Amino acid sequence: MRLYLLSILLAPVVAHAQRTDDSLRHALLAAEDARARTPAQLDLLVATSRSSDAAHAAIAVRALGRRERADLLPQIAPSLRHADPSVRAAGAVAMAQAAGADRAAEAWQVLRTEAAQETDGAVQRAILESIGRLRLAPDTPDHGAAQRLLLDAAMRDGGTRTGALQGLGHLLRRRPASTPPDPELFAALRRLAAAPMPASDRRLALAAIAAARAGDEATLATALGDDDTEVRRLAAAALRTTLLAARARLIDLALEDAAVQVRIEALRDFGQH
């Protein structure tokens, strides 16, 4: 009976708290959708990004990143030390979104520090992928250091590999076509493609190889025989960016694939042959 009476007494309090929670969430989503056009919306996002309520803080941090304003980096950076992993992960993504080209080096210094200290696997993956998204200028020490960090993380057999491979793919897609070949990078990517790992990671490795134009005959021939259809499709697509003497033979191999997706890529290759 006492519990029944207590529930009746507390019901209005619970209902009020729920309405308040819903109102704040709505305001945060509205500010995110509007890209925080007004000072009041921006102040709300900054204040809520420091909230102990992880769900609200993560929305606020994500919204700050979507503003794509480098001057908001100081407001985003504290989220990387939030008690909740989901907020820290959102903070890593937001740092890369907001930094742009002008302050990518600053964001890199923050993210590399967090990569070394973070212990949560999901947050580590978010940090590594975000490092790859940074618009670091090619042929700079920071770009080289980021590439080495991602390669080292990808080569380790652990929970960070997926994030590192995703980061490498982003980084290498911005690699200018005129960039001279990097034998060490190419060899590492080829070892990754041949490493025993889940199909999802093999796909990411092939995507990075295609982005770096690092496909060689042995690697692509092995990938074209992979059990995973998407790995084979990516290998066939990579043939368009290679100048291999065996390219015609590999295209023929892809044209005989049982999966239509692979054959379509091979036909595109054939059109450029």
Side-chain angles (χ1 to χ4, degrees), residues 28-187:
L28 291 170
L29 293 174
E32 179 181 20
D33 186 59
R35 297 294 194 271
R37 290 195 196 96
T38 68
Q41 286 179 323
L42 186 58
D43 289 344
L44 173 66
L45 294 179
V46 172
T48 309
S49 71
R50 290 156 172 70
S51 170
S52 59
D53 185 309
H56 289 152
I59 294 172
V61 172
R62 183 183 69 200
L64 289 172
R66 292 185 66 187
R67 287 290 284 117
E68 298 183 357
R69 278 177 44 182
D71 62 308
L72 291 177
L73 287 181
Q75 281 70 48
I76 295 171
S79 64
L80 290 163
R81 296 299 176 90
H82 196 279
D84 190 273
S86 67
V87 180
R88 299 200 300 275
V93 175
M95 287 289 289
Q97 284 183 305
D102 293 339
R103 296 179 70 172
E106 178 184 338
W108 153 241
Q109 295 302 329
V110 173
L111 290 175
R112 78 186 301 184
T113 299
E114 297 305 323
Q117 298 178 357
E118 181 59 57
T119 58
D120 183 272
V123 182
Q124 287 177 330
R125 290 190 290 274
I127 291 172
L128 292 169
E129 182 177 2
S130 297
I131 286 173
R133 289 184 180 275
L134 292 173
R135 294 166 58 187
L136 296 167
D139 301 322
T140 62
D142 283 340
H143 188 280
Q147 181 174 290
R148 286 192 297 274
L149 184 151
L150 293 174
L151 262 179
D152 288 346
M155 296 300 291
R156 291 196 296 270
D157 184 13
T160 62
R161 174 175 279 168
T162 297
L165 286 170
Q166 289 171 323
L168 272 175
H170 296 312
L171 190 74
L172 294 172
R173 285 185 196 98
R174 293 192 304 277
R175 188 172 182 264
S178 59
T179 303
D182 183 335
E184 182 180 353
L185 169 67
F186 287 10

Side-chain angles (χ1 to χ4, degrees), residues 220-225 239 247-258 262-263 266:
L220 295 180
T222 298
L224 286 170
L239 290 172
R247 184 167 176 264
R249 182 181 68 81
L250 294 175
I251 290 174
D252 288 342
L253 182 62
L255 284 169
E256 296 173 358
D257 197 277
V262 181
R263 297 198 301 273

